[in-house]
Every structure is written in C-alpha cells, then in structure tokens.
Amino acid sequence: MKDLNTLVKKANPLTDSTALFQLGYGLYAVTCRENGKDNAMIANTVSQIGSNPDLLAVSINRANFSAGIIRRTGKLNVSVLTESAPFSLFQRFGFQSGKNTDKMAGLRYGRSENNLPYLTEHSNAYFSLKVEEVVETPSHLLFLCTVEESVNLSKEKSVTYAYYHASIKPKKPQSTEKKGWVCKICGYVHEGDDLPADYICPICKHPASDFEKL
Ligand code: FE
C-alpha cells in the first residue's frame, strides 16, 4: 500500500479546503478499555464501508489517548448518539483527556460481550467492533473493523454534526475578551496572531481549519 506519509500536497487553484465542510457526518461515542480502565471519546468519522461481512471504518486522530488503546487492544465500541444528547456529554467525552480523568464516572452505561462500555442514554444503537486492519495516515489511524455485536436501543433520531452545531453547541464562544483564534468545536482560544497550519486543538484535537480568528 502507498505510504500516506510521503504524499505531497499539490498546489491547485481548484483546491478549496472549505468544500470539505459540505460533507455530512454523524456523531458517535467511541469507547475502549485497557488495563481495567475505560476510556471514551467523540468521533464523527464512523462509516459502514462493506457488507457480508459488515465492515466499519473508524478514523481516530493520533493525538487522542484512545487511538493507542484501540491499536493495542484491537477492540472498540461505537455508540450512535441521538439528538437528545446534551452539550455536557460532548464536553465530558470530547473536551478532556482520559489520561487524567475517568470519563465514564457517574454515567449510565452497559457492558457488551467484549467487556467494553456502551451508552444506554442518548444513544439509539451500539456496535462492538474488532479491528482487522489499521491504515496509517499522517494525522489519523483508520481502523477497519468487523462487527461482533450490533444492538438497537431506541427509535430516537441519530444526531448529525450539523444538528450539533445548530442546536446543541452553545452559540457564543466561552471567552470573548481574549485575542487570537477560537476553536469552533469546543471554544478553546489560542492566543496570538498566527495559528500554525498543523495546529491541533489541545482540548478537542480538531485541526487548524476548525479555528476562526477572534
Ligand atoms: Fe477544540
């Protein structure tokens, strides 16, 4: 397979990276477990990419604590989040690191056959996945997975990334006094005039393209 790390971005006047914003996504809680400790994070990159057997692709930023756990253990669960999911759930899973917090503490959750947690609230289905192959990209690990368990939990509507931005995320950034660049996803402010192109939000791990100038 081609080594994605050697790909060079070509200058092409027809390349407008904001076109990527038109892609539609859902939102998912990805859970994993290592050495008796659960971890959880939010991902928008979960897709079915094959059938018979069903194959799911889950892409996780390398900067996330979960990326290493999933690579080492070869296991993960995906909970499909619904429109009832409160902003606090996204803060809990997405805006802190499992390195120093127990993200599942105080939550209602179940355990699937593989002993990983899955959400029983604000989720309409979960999948237990087994990693069959890992594709390395410069920024992400792409896990190609088979499905070991798939369960419907409710008929509530799945939340989309667009719905999250329009109806769940608070409208105003947390801080309006600082100068610099604000992360449109979590509200973190990077102070300074310049934002490096390879910058990654230290809170939610989103790239520089998700920042806007204050
Ligand atoms: Fe952020």
Side-chain angles (χ1 to χ4, degrees), residues 95 183-188 201-206 211:
F95 302 172
C183 173
K184 290 187 281 183
I185 310 300
C186 73
Y188 173 81
C201 177
I203 307 297
C204 71
K205 318 293 187 224
H206 276 247
F211 278 75

Side-chain angles (χ1 to χ4, degrees), residues 85-141:
F87 185 61
S88 59
L89 191 73
F90 294 92
Q91 287 179 302
R92 164 193 280 266
F93 286 157
F95 302 172
Q96 55 181 352
S97 176
K99 272 180 200 148
N100 31 45
T101 37
D102 177 1
K103 293 197 190 180
M104 301 304 291
L107 269 192
R108 278 197 209 154
Y109 60 91
R111 266 190 206 284
S112 48
E113 196 67 23
N114 62 6
N115 202 29
L116 302 192
Y118 64 87
L119 298 192
T120 53
E121 281 184 317
H122 312 302
S123 172
N124 56 17
Y126 77 86
F127 305 94
S128 291
L129 303 179
K130 178 170 172 274
V131 177
E132 304 291 350
E133 201 171 321
V134 184
V135 178
E136 309 246 355
T137 84
S139 59
H140 286 61
L141 295 181

Side-chain angles (χ1 to χ4, degrees), residues 7 14 24 42 64 70 79 90 111 121 132-133 158 194:
L7 292 180
L14 289 179
I42 299 285
N64 276 300
I70 295 169
S79 289
F90 294 92
R111 266 190 206 284
E121 281 184 317
E132 304 291 350
E133 201 171 321
S158 303
D194 296 314

